[in-house]
Amino acid sequence: MGSFAVLVFTPALCAVVLICLLGPRDVHRWTFLFQMSWQTLCHLGLHYTEYYLQEAPSTRFCITLSSLMLLTQRVTSLSLDICEGKAEAASGGIRSKSSLYEHLCKALPYFSYLLFFPALLGGPLCSFQRFQARVQGPSSLYPRHSFWALTWRVLQILGLECLKVVMRWVVGTGAGLTDCRQLQCIFVMWSSAGLFKLTYYSHWILDDSLLHAAGFGPESDQSPGEEGYISDADIWTLETTHKISLFTRKWNQSTARWLRRLIFQQGRTWPLMQTFVFSAWWHGLHPGQVFGFLCWAVMLEADYLIHTRANLFIRSWPMWLLYRTLTWAHTQLIIAYIMLAVEVRSLSALWLLCNSYNSVFPTVYCILLFLLVKRKHKFN
């Protein structure tokens, strides 16, 4: 990161200071406001470089922003743990008479958690309690098990990288959104989103391998689906599900759980919309991200109603198989549409996507959502 590392060290230091000074009731509100304000200022710097100066941002600055977003996850997770009584507060508040040395001793575990090296690069979100237990307790890794687990992950990464080479060739030699014609645009969208997916899968497995090698993988007596350990890359479920709701829960699972706990469970009105709006804010509020996450929220609402209604009426096995096939294809195409919208950086590219035949797929779900909501109100 070079000198940009100051942008990560500063909020980490300020977060620990706030945790040490504030009581459990106030710590989450103030750390959340400070961390998101700091991250937003850094994202505005990226916007200034990309949209106003029309220049490519520094690679080091982009890496710093990525680490800063992961730091935000840990800061807010820690403050929520303290607020809910799951983690011990560093002090009794501002009036605490502890010495400076005692404050520093209590703050050291928070520093080590927030600046944990593998977590700054990526990987599933690890709670403060689990981090502390794994650091203080004896290692539960068995060398043979660890070796074979890491070997399997390396093979998965190599396979994904080979698929990326093929998909990159397909995307590079074919037409783009600017020169595709009619139904050809659907293939362009699917192949481009497939390349993005393969990149995410490869990075998630690599991050997971790094945490596993550092001793923070799943315990020997714990399955990967339990609360303590969450693997972000459930590729089979993501590629075979016919429900947008299941895809949403499984896509980057640790971040999905963090968003559910931080926003969805705290929201009283429109919690789903609040969650996706905050997700767009956390990602940087690029135009494509705002459009993509709002579209995702609407598609998720439609998905709930469509599948609830279908479960009531579809009884025969052939109809169920046809329904599963059509909804799988439609779900994958809608996800590809959302992913392409989120990944594009220019308004012109976003406009090309919205003006293409690809917009038919989310439009169908929007129409079904309107009809089902109207029918539901009429029935009530």
Side-chain angles (χ1 to χ4, degrees):
M1 297 180 192
S3 58
F4 290 117
V6 176
L7 298 177
V8 174
F9 287 124
T10 302
L13 175 63
C14 293
V16 173
V17 170
L18 288 173
I19 289 171
C20 291
L21 291 180
L22 298 174
R25 291 185 178 181
D26 302 321
V27 64
H28 176 63
R29 180 171 67 252
W30 289 106
T31 52
F32 175 85
L33 289 174
F34 174 80
Q35 186 66 29
M36 286 305 300
S37 299
W38 182 271
Q39 183 180 302
T40 302
L41 287 174
C42 294
H43 271 126
L44 288 176
L46 180 64
H47 285 218
Y48 176 76
T49 303
E50 286 188 334
Y51 299 120
Y52 184 77
L53 298 180
Q54 298 289 317
E55 297 177 357
S58 166
T59 304
R60 289 184 172 184
F61 182 59
C62 292
I63 293 173
T64 304
L65 271 180
S66 176
S67 294
L68 188 59
M69 293 170 65
L70 295 170
L71 178 66
T72 300
Q73 284 190 341
R74 292 194 298 283
V75 168
T76 52
S77 176
L78 175 58
S79 62
L80 265 179
D81 286 342
I82 295 174
C83 186
E84 295 173 358
K86 296 180 180 179
E88 184 181 355
S91 70
I94 298 177
R95 299 180 181 180
S96 175
K97 296 181 180 179
S98 302
S99 65
L100 178 61
Y101 174 75
E102 291 174 334
H103 276 299
L104 290 176
C105 288
K106 291 179 179 179
L108 185 59
Y110 301 135
F111 273 118
S112 63
Y113 172 67
L114 296 180
L115 298 177
F116 175 47
F117 169 69
L120 287 177
L121 295 177
L125 176 63
C126 176
S127 67
F128 177 70
Q129 304 94 290
R130 184 170 183 271
F131 172 82
Q132 200 171 24
R134 295 308 294 269
V135 170
Q136 293 176 349
S139 176
S140 62
L141 286 177
Y142 298 98
R144 185 178 178 183
H145 171 75
S146 177
F147 172 77
W148 288 114
L150 291 175
T151 302
W152 170 240
R153 284 172 170 81
V154 169
L155 292 176
Q156 285 181 303
I157 294 170
L158 289 175
L160 289 169
E161 289 299 320
C162 292
L163 287 175
K164 276 175 61 179
V165 172
V166 175
M167 192 63 73
R168 189 177 287 112
W169 177 81
V170 171
V171 172
T173 56
L177 282 176
T178 54
D179 50 358
C180 65
R181 294 290 180 270
Q182 298 177 355
L183 297 179
Q184 186 186 17
C185 294
I186 299 175
F187 177 77
V188 171
M189 178 189 69
W190 176 83
S191 57
S192 300
L195 181 58
F196 286 130
K197 279 185 181 181
L198 290 172
T199 304
Y200 279 114
Y201 295 156
S202 180
H203 278 290
W204 286 341
I205 296 175
L206 186 60
D207 296 337
D208 184 73
S209 303
L210 182 60
L211 281 177
H212 191 98
F216 288 85
E219 288 80 358
S220 58
D221 58 345
Q222 181 182 22
S223 62
E226 290 183 19
E227 186 66 27
Y229 179 84
I230 309 169
S231 178
D232 284 332
D234 189 353
I235 301 176
W236 175 258
T237 302
L238 292 170
E239 294 299 323
T240 58
T241 181
H242 69 294
K243 294 182 178 181
I244 297 177
S245 56
L246 182 58
F247 184 96
T248 305
R249 289 194 297 272
K250 293 296 183 180
W251 178 264
N252 199 356
Q253 286 188 82
S254 61
T255 298
R257 288 196 181 187
W258 169 69
L259 287 170
R260 188 183 306 122
R261 182 189 179 200
L262 182 69
I263 305 297
F264 186 83
Q265 293 178 352
Q266 310 295 329
R268 297 180 180 178
T269 57
W270 297 89
L272 182 66
M273 189 60 68
Q274 286 184 39
T275 304
F276 280 93
V277 168
F278 174 79
S279 185
W281 180 20
W282 179 66
H283 278 86
L285 286 176
H286 290 274
Q289 292 171 344
V290 175
F291 173 80
F293 282 112
L294 291 178
C295 178
W296 197 340
V298 175
M299 295 300 101
L300 193 56
E301 285 285 359
D303 180 80
Y304 284 132
L305 290 175
I306 290 169
H307 291 294
T308 301
R309 180 69 63 174
N311 290 332
L312 295 175
F313 290 100
I314 298 179
R315 297 300 180 193
S316 64
W317 183 83
M319 285 299 296
W320 181 256
L321 183 61
L322 177 63
Y323 160 75
R324 285 289 298 263
T325 303
L326 291 177
T327 51
W328 170 81
H330 205 92
T331 294
Q332 295 300 322
L333 289 170
I334 287 177
I335 293 299
Y337 183 88
I338 293 170
M339 190 168 294
L340 215 58
V342 170
E343 293 294 338
V344 297
R345 282 290 183 264
S346 63
L347 285 171
S348 58
L350 182 61
W351 178 250
L352 285 172
L353 177 65
C354 295
N355 254 355
S356 66
Y357 272 59
N358 299 308
S359 295
V360 170
F361 304 109
T363 302
V364 169
Y365 262 37
C366 287
I367 294 172
L368 290 175
L369 175 64
F370 174 77
L371 294 176
L372 290 174
V373 168
K374 185 177 179 181
R375 181 168 184 151
K376 183 179 178 181
H377 286 314
K378 184 178 180 181
F379 178 77
N380 289 339

